[in-house]
């Protein structure tokens, strides 16, 4: 007999069915077996969810797990341990590994390794071009067969318009999501922070917002022609938000995501020369931040992601100009999005869960994102009120590169269940 678990008395939020009410959830084996009154009765285990939110498991569609090749920064095991502690039941991992995920062999490797060691579901994102070099198409068809859920050269955008067009046409044939890291590197080469007054004052080489906007603009035109579902990774600039909004208003299949740091931090902070404030795209102006918030509020930006980008201390201890781009995010995303979006009433809870679970599941075409009966029991229990302090030293990620260390925050995942198995409980801390 399969094990049954009753999650009792929580505020159940399921954006896939517009449910937001206090009820019970029954899980039998690896599936959701009933909600509300359907769930009444006994179970092998009862979890008291009084005062907690019960939501479909969170899904982060933009994570760097670093395996294969950079296991000093993170592994599939440590990255997904961090994920599950942050309330995520699934992550989609970017292909800028070494070797890159650019053929079926690497995609299969990640899936096999995940099978052995992962704490969450792991969905590989295949590279669009060989070696992510932007010149020759990668083996997209074989990677689809092997299990790649989407395609991107993330870390880089595809500069060559003809290659980009062909990649879009190819990806559209398989109805996979085309995710672009929008950056025209002819405008950004050597830059380490946003182009603006602060960069000028600090004398640092800069990355203008228009470098993001111009690639998004080209791509939206190309994607319309290619008929591909097009997704802008880590939006940071007001101009990009405007473009995505307009394309969506015209009915084009364009979507976008944003990270917590682009909703909470601005370029002025780089005056501290703290390499944990260095990421790509960089922290932008207050006006860009406001535009991103507005984009989230009106649904232009429908997905909330981390861009979890671990780097070892020795790299992040370099000077601001020399340190690599990127910060970790899996264990801090939920409270930071609460602060940026719930506390400021940009989103309500069902909208936040839709952007952190239901929508990513739909875009990637993967399980989860719902509490429908008979679907996989990927469930996150959230204490929305608990107050705590972010402590980089306590993190499960192998890396410590966060600018949020020491921040007082509110809200966190207290239990994460993948396929009916409890994979994380906060009491374990
Ligand atoms: O900050 C970033 N770090 N941006 C990227 O696009 C890549 C990522 C990484 O892999 O470190």
């Amino acid at each position: 007999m399969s094990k049954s678990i009753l999650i009792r008395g929580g505020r159940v939020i399921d954006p896939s069915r517009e449910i937001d009410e206090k009820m019970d959830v029954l899980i039998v084996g690896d599936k959701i077996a009933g909600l509300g009154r359907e769930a009444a009765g006994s179970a092998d285990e009862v979890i008291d969810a009084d005062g907690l939110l019960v939501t479909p498991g969170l899904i982060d569609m933009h994570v760097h797990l670093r395996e294969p090749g950079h296991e000093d920064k993170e592994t599939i095991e440590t990255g997904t341990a961090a994920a599950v502690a942050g309330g995520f039941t699934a992550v989609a991992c970017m292909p800028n590994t070494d070797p890159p995920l650019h053929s079926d062999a690497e995609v299969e490797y990640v899936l096999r390794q995940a099978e052995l060691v992962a704490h969450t579901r792991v969905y590989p994102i295949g590279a669009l071009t060989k070696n992510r070099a932007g010149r020759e198409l990668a083996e997209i068809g074989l990677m689809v067969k092997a299990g790649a859920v989407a395609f991107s050269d993330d870390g880089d955008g595809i500069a060559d318009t003809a290659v980009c067009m062909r990649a879009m046409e190819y990806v559209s044939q398989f109805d996979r999501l085309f995710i672009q890291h929008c950056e025209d590197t002819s405008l950004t080469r050597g830059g380490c922070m946003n182009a603006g007054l602060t960069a000028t004052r600090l004398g640092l080489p800069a990355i203008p917002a228009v470098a993001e906007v111009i690639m998004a603009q080209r791509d939206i035109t190309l994607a319309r022609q290619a008929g591909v579902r097009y997704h802008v990774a880590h939006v940071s600039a007001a101009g990009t938000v405007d473009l995505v909004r307009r394309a969506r208003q015209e009915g084009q299949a364009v979507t976008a995501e944003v990270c917590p740091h682009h909703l909470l931090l601005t370029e002025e902070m780089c005056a501290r020369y703290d390499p944990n404030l260095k990421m790509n795209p960089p922290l932008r102006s207050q006006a860009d931040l406001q535009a991103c918030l507005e984009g989230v509020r009106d649904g232009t930006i429908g997905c909330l992601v981390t861009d979890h980008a671990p780097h070892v201390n020795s790299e992040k201890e370099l000077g601001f100009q020399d340190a690599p781009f990127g910060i970790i995010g899996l264990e801090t995303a939920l409270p930071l999005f609460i602060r940026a979006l719930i506390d400021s009433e940009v989103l309500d809870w069902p909208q936040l869960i839709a952007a952190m679970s239901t929508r990513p599941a739909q875009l990637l075409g993967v399980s989860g994102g719902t509490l429908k009966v008979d679907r996989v029991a990927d469930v996150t229990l959230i204490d929305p009120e608990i107050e705590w302090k972010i402590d980089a030293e306590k993190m499960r990620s192998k890396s410590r590169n966060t600018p949020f260390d020491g921040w007082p925050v509110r809200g966190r995942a207290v239990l994460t269940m993948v396929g009916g198995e409890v994979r994380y409980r906060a009491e374990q801390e």
Side-chain angles (χ1 to χ4, degrees), residues 64 66 96 154-155 181 234 279-280 307 309 311 325-326:
H64 299 271
R66 304 296 191 213
N96 61 337
D154 184 59
H181 165 121
H234 41 50
M279 67 290 288
N280 191 15
D307 194 5
H311 293 290
F325 291 102

Side-chain angles (χ1 to χ4, degrees), residues 11-25:
R11 174 179 166 192
V12 175
I13 297 177
D14 180 1
S16 79
R17 291 201 288 169
E18 291 179 20
I19 289 172
D20 179 6
E21 60 181 281
K22 202 167 170 166
M23 58 172 118
D24 300 344
V25 178

